[in-house]
Amino acid sequence: MSVQTDCEMLSVQAMEAYARKYHVSGNKVVELFHAEKSLKYLQLVRRKSYARDDI
């Protein structure tokens, strides 16, 4: 799998976990994540993690 695919899967998993934990709908979680730019943050963190693994 590509790094982008991995990041997208991680983002979806994070949103699903958030929805379960806080008992909110999937649509509300997407709105919250986009509003707070959490998706971008998660993608950056994951990319940095991959970069460290290559060293």
Side-chain angles (χ1 to χ4, degrees):
M1 285 189 214
S2 70
V3 172
Q4 181 178 351
T5 303
D6 290 346
C7 290
E8 290 168 357
M9 289 173 55
L10 179 64
S11 297
V12 169
Q13 290 172 356
M15 287 189 282
E16 289 172 343
Y18 187 93
R20 279 191 306 274
K21 182 175 181 177
Y22 294 104
H23 308 288
V24 294
S25 71
N27 290 338
K28 185 64 177 174
V29 172
V30 171
E31 290 174 20
L32 290 169
F33 271 56
H34 282 292
E36 297 299 323
K37 299 189 182 196
S38 296
L39 290 174
K40 290 293 181 188
Y41 174 75
L42 290 172
Q43 290 172 349
L44 290 173
V45 168
R46 189 66 183 155
R47 285 184 186 150
K48 288 180 183 178
S49 174
Y50 273 107
R52 281 189 228 127
D53 290 343
D54 292 339
I55 296 175

